[in-house]
Amino acid sequence: MTSLLTDAVRETNFLSVGAIRTLLRDAAARERAGEKHGAILQTLKFALAGLRMAAINSYPRGDRVATRLASGMDEAVAALFDAGVEIHDDATHSLAICAIGGFGRSHMAPYSDVDLLILHSPGEENRIRPLLDFILYPLWDAGLKVGYAVHTPASAIDFAKNDMTARTAFLDVRFLCGERTLVNEFQASYEKLRKRTAKEFVTAKLSEQHMRHEKSEQSRYLVEPDIKEGKGGLRDIQTIFWMYKYVYGGDVFTKKSSASRALSDDDFQAIAKAARFLWSVRIHLHNLRGRADEKLTFDVQPEIAERLGYAGRSGMTAAERLMKHYFVNAVEIGRLTRSLYSQLEEEQTKRLARMPKLLPRMLLKDEAPGKPNLRLKNGRLHFENSARARRKPADFFRLFRAFSKRPKFDFHPSALALISENLASITSEVRRDPAVGAVFRAMLVHAKDPVKTLRVMAETGLLAKYLPNFGKTIGRIEYGLFRRFTLDEHALRALAVLSQIDRGEVADAHPIATEILSSSMNREPFYLTVLLQELIWTVKDRSIEDCERLVARIARRLGLTNDDATLVGWCAARRLLMMRTAQRRNLDEVSAISQFALAVGDRRRLDILLVLSVCHFRVVGMNSWDGWTRGRLSDLYQSTVTWLEGGDEALIQRFRERSYEARAEAEEQLADWPKAEKARFFSRADDTMLRALAPEMITKLAKLMRAAEEKGEPAVVAMTPAEGDVEAIIFTDDRAGLLADLASAVTASHASVRAVQAFTTDDGKVIDIFTIQSLDGAALDDPDAIKRLHDRLFEAAVSKPPKGPSFHRRLGDRRHLFHIQPVVRLDLEASKDCVVVEAEGLDRPGLLYQLTSALSEIGVIIISAHVATYGERAVDSFYLQDAPGYKITNKRRLQSIERRLLAVLSAGA
């Protein structure tokens, strides 16, 4: 049998549906004759495997593969039924087998569930059981996930009345085999139920959709989407299908309904096109995984793109083009869902006696001259004169401005349809219209929910037409593990954070940003900078200068003054400058602050960069914002303000005052210490240490050093939880390679180093202060984990391990899927006493250990280390001195450092 099936598939590249029934019928005959035990099961397994292979190889379109797989399953179930009837013929007229769910819609992925509705005559439960077992057990044994419900026609309807999941599944019921009259009886009763409960069904489906989206982070723009359950996925298309069919009694894909006016012909085509694309992705995803898997993760995106015929183009890889197509598709599904629901609600409101008809006074004028071309139709925003709106596309923007003022008045579906059909009227003249620019700016700054407004604009296509460069970011991803969302979704979510800050809703979390916005006379530059922050991805080679000019040009077109437009362009092009400085530099050095302040230049730029950094990092990654990040940004901002106001002298005075205040508070906390002992400790703690550490940390350090000396301990380690991270203080004898050994201990404890500060004393002791976080960015608060980390750090501090550590990727670590070009940058201007070296490359277990070991072997001293990780990308910054404690300036010495670190980075690339 195996040979027969394999030969049939090989010779025709297709296993016909009819062949499955023939093969199973022959296998059943042999099994009944006692010729071969298990012939049905063996044949079923090979037939289904052959069907999958043949269908995928024969059809490029996923929807056709899905239909062929469902047809094959039809034949398999029917063949098992026919074979079972040969043995249990007394149940023939008491049983009907129906497909429901996706199987009922004749669409199945290679590893989809097989959902069945078994209908039987009243009182025949015992009679049908043997036949039912004969059919179901081979399906289960073949590895299929079979779900089934057994009912009489009447009990099925009763069940559907009280269970919305069952009612939805039964909507797609399709007769397979058995007694058809049972199905006819069920369908007649179901039709009566459907016609009287349409509103209830639509409400339930939209509620389910909302809850499902909440579970998937309420975004259709996740860079690793769930193509079935995620927003904009197949389930959303099915929701459109269900609502349409339940309300109108027709199939949305065939338009078999007298009420097809709910969707236009273009809408029907768009739904079919979206379904074809998603089914193509899903078919290949199942086939590639060899199991039912709906998550389109980074590791499979390139292979899926290749199978679907995508190729790299215009600076985008094949995988990025696939995902852009996916996200554009998702936007279209969102538009279609909104369109259908709006139409359904529109028909319902027509029957209501009282709906508001007059525009509220606040909507009778806006930032453009003249009365807006608006009215309320059945409580929804519509154009008063549609013909005028077609002639004057500025009316499109005034419609959205009205919505931004009063979002409780939703859009009339016909108004949105009119806009989508007339996007060609958005010409360069419209884009340069100052009145349109004024309306758009107000839509951002003075809206109740600017993001909701912009999302609907994006769904209609209007936003991309008005801001073509922003349109290029729609659906585009930065391929890697750091970002959660597409570029456009990131910008909109950052804008939502800005709106919260502007309204004072997060003042406790972001006091500086809140104060900046509340005291600003003009908030438009902040909003436009956040909205346009990702346009650097649309310019050649991602040139900062070209991006600056592009954004400034757009800002001027939108109506900003030349000074404000230049400001927006400068800040948007350098959106990461402030955070990179905060993460990679020693903020207790005058040189680091002055270098940053000179680059920024003035207070307005600094204010926008601070707000932009908060908005950007609040949303960019899963754990990209925390207390440590907030503290670093705040410290950098305050120090830069001081420098801008008074230069180096003012900043030195700020550091001196901070050092004095820290010492005074620490001395107060050590009030019970003898004066001589206290003085001895502070003689070992220089100003660098005092201004770098909080008073509580200084006090803890003093007690640690006292305990170590009293007990004669070779080393002491103290661990303190700090806003989800752990601060570890290590006091021990200095030695070559110490920092590398401590970094290895952190990695061995399944944690990662975020920052290291090192201080040395005159008597050869070293104080290393580590900020440590969990590998996944979650709070590191497990007492047992902290205890293990403490013990490993102590062992490393006491003595060098006898052998080097070995590092292995943890389960689920996907960093190796990506390629990062190794880069080593040396900066002699960032520090007065040290050379700052940045080592950037692919992150991996033990990378910090390997880098610090290499530096130790070269013979340089690591004064501090600052570790920044962006998904698969690591940027480790080191403040280095030569062995005697001097700044490294020798060219050959610097080249040696660069070559050695590049070799380490390249070893894992």
Side-chain angles (χ1 to χ4, degrees):
M1 175 57 60
T2 303
S3 176
L4 173 64
L5 182 59
T6 304
D7 290 344
V9 173
R10 184 184 298 114
E11 291 173 7
T12 64
N13 198 34
F14 178 72
L15 179 64
S16 69
V17 171
I20 294 177
R21 178 174 286 199
T22 301
L23 290 169
L24 285 172
R25 185 179 62 241
D26 293 345
R30 291 200 311 278
E31 194 164 315
R32 284 197 307 273
E35 295 177 9
K36 185 173 183 180
H37 179 69
I40 293 177
L41 176 59
Q42 183 182 15
T43 301
L44 182 61
K45 284 182 176 180
F46 282 108
L48 294 177
L51 175 68
R52 292 187 193 114
M53 179 175 65
I56 291 171
N57 290 339
S58 300
Y59 295 106
R61 276 177 42 177
D63 58 330
R64 292 185 176 176
V65 175
T67 300
R68 180 58 59 183
L69 292 176
S71 297
M73 190 58 63
D74 287 356
E75 293 299 308
V77 173
L80 290 172
F81 178 83
D82 292 343
V85 168
E86 294 288 333
I87 304 171
H88 309 285
D89 60 344
D90 58 333
T92 304
H93 300 296
S94 305
L95 177 69
I97 300 180
C98 306
I100 56 175
F103 185 22
R105 294 188 296 275
S106 294
H107 274 74
M108 295 186 72
Y111 296 95
S112 286
D113 297 352
V114 180
D115 294 323
L116 301 172
L117 173 62
I118 314 298
L119 295 173
H120 63 84
S121 303
E124 298 292 336
E125 293 90 339
N126 294 331
R127 181 179 294 183
I128 67 168
R129 176 52 62 184
L131 176 57
L132 194 55
D133 290 345
F134 183 92
I135 297 168
L136 293 176
Y137 275 98
L139 296 174
W140 285 324
D141 292 342
L144 297 172
K145 188 176 180 180
V146 182
Y148 71 100
V150 181
H151 287 285
T152 65
S155 70
I157 295 299
D158 289 339
F159 186 57
K161 289 177 181 177
N162 301 307
D163 189 295
M164 192 57 68
T165 301
R167 195 188 307 181
T168 305
F170 293 171
L171 180 62
D172 300 315
V173 70
R174 181 168 59 84
F175 173 76
L176 294 178
C177 50
E179 182 56 50
R180 186 180 287 273
T181 58
L182 292 170
V183 182
N184 294 340
E185 180 184 346
F186 166 78
Q187 288 181 317
S189 299
Y190 188 90
E191 275 296 289
K192 295 177 182 178
L193 174 66
R194 180 187 68 79
K195 290 178 179 179
R196 68 173 183 265
T197 58
K199 183 179 179 181
E200 173 193 358
F201 182 86
V202 169
T203 301
K205 288 296 104 182
L206 290 173
S207 177
E208 288 175 13
Q209 184 183 61
H210 177 73
M211 289 188 289
R212 180 162 41 81
H213 291 168
E214 286 289 340
K215 291 181 180 179
S216 62
E217 296 189 77
Q218 192 60 273
S219 177
R220 59 175 66 97
Y221 300 101
L222 291 170
V223 294
E224 293 185 297
D226 185 321
I227 65 171
K228 182 181 179 183
E229 301 293 344
K231 196 170 186 178
L234 275 167
R235 189 69 77 196
D236 281 358
I237 290 183
Q238 289 162 1
T239 299
I240 295 173
F241 170 89
W242 289 326
M243 291 193 300
Y244 187 92
K245 187 174 183 179
Y246 203 91
V247 174
Y248 299 121
D251 187 335
V252 74
F253 295 112
T254 60
K255 295 185 286 185
K256 292 178 180 177
S257 168
S258 60
S260 61
R261 63 184 180 277
L263 294 170
S264 68
D265 287 342
D266 288 343
D267 289 339
F268 285 114
Q269 292 174 12
I271 293 171
K273 182 179 179 181
R276 283 198 302 270
F277 170 76
L278 287 174
W279 270 108
S280 295
V281 173
R282 190 184 187 205
I283 291 294
H284 286 293
L285 182 56
H286 275 219
N287 187 48
L288 186 62
R289 293 290 199 194
R291 54 184 170 83
D293 189 345
E294 316 299 347
K295 196 79 176 287
L296 191 54
T297 51
F298 285 122
D299 54 328
V300 296
Q301 287 174 10
E303 178 64 24
I304 298 292
E306 183 179 345
R307 292 187 179 198
L308 293 178
Y310 288 88
R313 190 183 303 165
S314 302
M316 295 176 65
T317 65
E320 288 172 332
R321 290 188 64 232
L322 164 71
M323 297 312 296
K324 183 174 178 64
H325 190 177
Y326 175 90
F327 294 121
V328 171
N329 197 75
V331 172
E332 182 69 354
I333 294 170
R335 182 189 70 81
L336 292 166
T337 302
R338 167 182 280 274
S339 178
L340 177 59
Y341 178 64
S342 296
Q343 184 63 44
L344 295 174
E345 194 174 61
E346 168 75 3
E347 294 181 4
Q348 176 65 27
T349 55
K350 286 178 182 177
R351 296 188 285 269
L352 298 179
R354 293 186 178 181
M355 290 297 294
K357 297 180 180 180
L358 297 177
L359 280 174
R361 179 171 298 183
M362 68 180 303
L363 302 186
L364 292 176
K365 62 179 180 178
D366 55 28
E367 291 71 21
K371 180 183 176 183
N373 176 23
L374 299 175
R375 65 177 172 128
L376 287 179
K377 183 179 180 182
N378 296 318
R380 289 174 175 267
L381 289 168
H382 200 354
F383 297 111
E384 187 173 41
N385 186 325
S386 296
R388 174 189 152 174
R390 291 186 181 92
R391 293 193 308 271
K392 296 184 176 181
D395 289 348
F396 299 171
F397 298 88
R398 303 183 79 174
L399 177 78
F400 281 98
R401 177 66 180 116
F403 177 76
S404 73
K405 293 180 182 179
R406 294 290 293 272
K408 77 172 189 176
F409 293 123
D410 204 349
F411 297 97
H412 193 280
S414 299
L416 295 181
L418 186 151
I419 293 173
S420 296
E421 292 164 3
N422 291 274
L423 291 175
S425 64
I426 308 299
T427 61
S428 58
E429 182 180 355
V430 175
R431 296 187 192 103
R432 291 194 299 268
D433 187 339
V436 173
V439 169
F440 184 80
R441 298 196 313 273
M443 203 184 301
L444 293 178
V445 181
H446 303 297
K448 290 183 178 294
D449 187 349
V451 176
K452 186 176 182 180
T453 305
L454 292 176
R455 283 196 201 284
V456 184
M457 284 187 75
E459 287 179 0
T460 63
L462 181 60
L463 185 59
K465 270 291 186 179
Y466 186 59
L467 298 175
N469 285 89
F470 185 87
K472 293 178 182 178
T473 70
I474 293 178
R476 185 167 181 177
I477 65 173
E478 179 183 1
Y479 200 66
L481 297 174
F482 184 52
R483 283 183 180 265
R484 288 186 292 167
F485 308 108
T486 59
L487 301 181
D488 58 308
E489 176 69 3
H490 167 81
L492 293 183
R493 285 180 173 248
L495 198 68
V497 174
L498 175 61
S499 184
Q500 285 183 306
I501 296 172
D502 194 12
R503 294 193 298 268
E505 296 174 359
V506 287
D508 290 342
H510 305 296
I512 298 176
T514 302
E515 173 60 26
I516 289 172
L517 284 169
S518 65
S519 60
S520 175
M521 299 297 293
N522 180 11
R523 305 191 310 284
E524 289 178 352
F526 292 92
Y527 278 85
L528 284 175
T529 302
V530 172
L531 178 65
L532 304 177
Q533 61 177 293
E534 299 294 355
L535 294 200
I536 195 168
W537 290 89
T538 69
V539 300
K540 187 177 181 181
D541 299 326
R542 295 209 286 275
S543 162
I544 289 177
E545 291 75 19
D546 290 346
C547 178
E548 181 178 351
R549 286 190 289 270
L550 170 66
V551 174
R553 186 169 66 248
I554 294 172
R556 277 190 289 270
R557 176 167 63 77
L558 292 174
L560 264 62
T561 65
N562 188 62
D563 286 346
D564 284 349
T566 302
L567 173 66
V568 170
W570 191 93
C571 293
R574 295 163 180 82
R575 71 200 193 288
L576 302 178
L577 174 62
M578 189 169 191
M579 184 59 80
R580 285 176 174 172
T581 303
Q583 291 178 329
R584 304 179 191 178
R585 292 293 181 265
N586 182 356
L587 302 185
D588 298 308
E589 279 204 344
V590 173
S591 300
I593 302 301
S594 62
Q595 186 182 50
F596 172 72
L598 283 168
V600 174
D602 62 54
R603 181 67 178 270
R604 290 193 73 198
R605 285 180 177 177
L606 179 64
D607 286 349
I608 292 182
L609 282 181
L610 184 281
V611 173
L612 176 60
S613 298
V614 170
C615 297
H616 180 90
F617 278 85
R618 273 281 304 270
V619 300
V620 65
M622 188 66 72
N623 299 289
S624 56
W625 184 264
D626 55 19
W628 183 87
T629 303
R630 181 177 62 247
R632 298 284 293 183
L633 269 180
S634 300
D635 195 10
L636 176 58
Y637 177 83
Q638 299 289 9
S639 293
T640 306
V641 168
T642 300
W643 192 94
L644 290 172
E645 292 175 350
D648 283 357
E649 185 176 339
L651 186 59
I652 291 170
Q653 181 60 29
R654 169 183 162 81
F655 285 164
R656 188 180 295 122
E657 290 174 358
R658 192 164 70 186
S659 173
Y660 176 81
E661 291 170 0
R663 174 171 182 149
E665 191 170 337
E667 284 185 339
E668 186 176 341
Q669 293 176 10
L670 297 172
D672 58 339
W673 278 34
K675 287 186 178 181
E677 186 177 9
K678 193 188 307 184
R680 180 171 175 271
F681 166 74
F682 282 107
S683 69
R684 302 170 77 183
D686 60 13
D687 281 350
T688 302
M689 182 190 300
L690 292 175
R691 70 170 179 255
L693 303 180
E696 295 77 15
M697 181 72 76
I698 296 170
T699 303
K700 182 178 290 188
L701 179 59
K703 293 177 179 178
L704 275 178
M705 294 170 67
R706 172 200 254 186
E709 293 170 351
E710 286 179 350
K711 298 178 181 178
E713 294 281 355
V716 288
V717 177
M719 314 289 285
T720 305
E723 296 195 62
D725 296 336
V726 168
E727 287 181 337
I729 304 175
I730 300 98
F731 177 64
T732 188
D733 293 324
D734 198 7
R735 69 168 189 269
L738 173 62
L739 185 58
D741 295 336
L742 294 172
S744 173
V746 174
T747 303
S749 303
H750 305 292
S752 65
V753 176
R754 188 166 228 183
V756 182
Q757 291 174 294
F759 307 98
T760 55
T761 62
D762 294 338
D763 54 356
K765 294 287 187 178
V766 64
I767 303 161
D768 285 336
I769 302 177
F770 281 70
T771 302
I772 301 169
Q773 64 179 354
S774 64
L775 288 175
D776 58 4
L780 186 57
D781 53 10
D782 177 27
D784 293 335
I786 295 175
K787 176 66 167 57
R788 288 192 296 271
L789 176 60
H790 173 279
D791 294 345
R792 285 196 170 99
L793 285 172
F794 180 78
E795 291 171 3
V798 169
S799 62
K800 189 174 186 64
K803 63 177 182 177
S806 59
F807 301 105
H808 306 282
R809 284 202 309 268
R810 62 191 174 92
L811 187 65
D813 187 347
R814 298 181 295 158
R815 291 174 291 187
H816 65 285
L817 298 172
F818 304 90
H819 172 74
I820 304 294
Q821 183 65 38
V823 178
V824 175
R825 292 179 287 268
L826 292 87
D827 189 342
L828 277 75
E829 305 300 324
S831 172
K832 178 182 177 182
D833 302 318
C834 301
V835 60
V836 180
V837 179
E838 289 186 0
E840 179 174 356
L842 184 67
D843 196 16
R844 62 181 187 264
L847 176 61
L848 180 60
Y849 164 78
Q850 293 161 352
L851 292 171
T852 51
S853 293
L855 292 171
S856 175
E857 292 168 6
I858 294 172
V860 298
I861 299 172
I862 302 174
I863 300 302
S864 66
H866 308 268
V867 180
T869 304
Y870 312 98
E872 73 285 356
R873 184 186 302 271
V875 185
D876 294 349
S877 302
F878 303 98
Y879 278 67
L880 304 179
Q881 291 181 345
D882 227 333
Y886 301 116
K887 185 172 182 177
I888 305 169
T889 56
N890 181 273
K891 186 175 181 180
R892 289 188 177 181
R893 187 75 161 145
L894 294 171
Q895 289 175 341
S896 174
I897 293 171
E898 183 178 7
R899 284 195 303 269
R900 188 71 178 88
L901 294 183
L902 274 175
V904 172
L905 293 170
S906 300

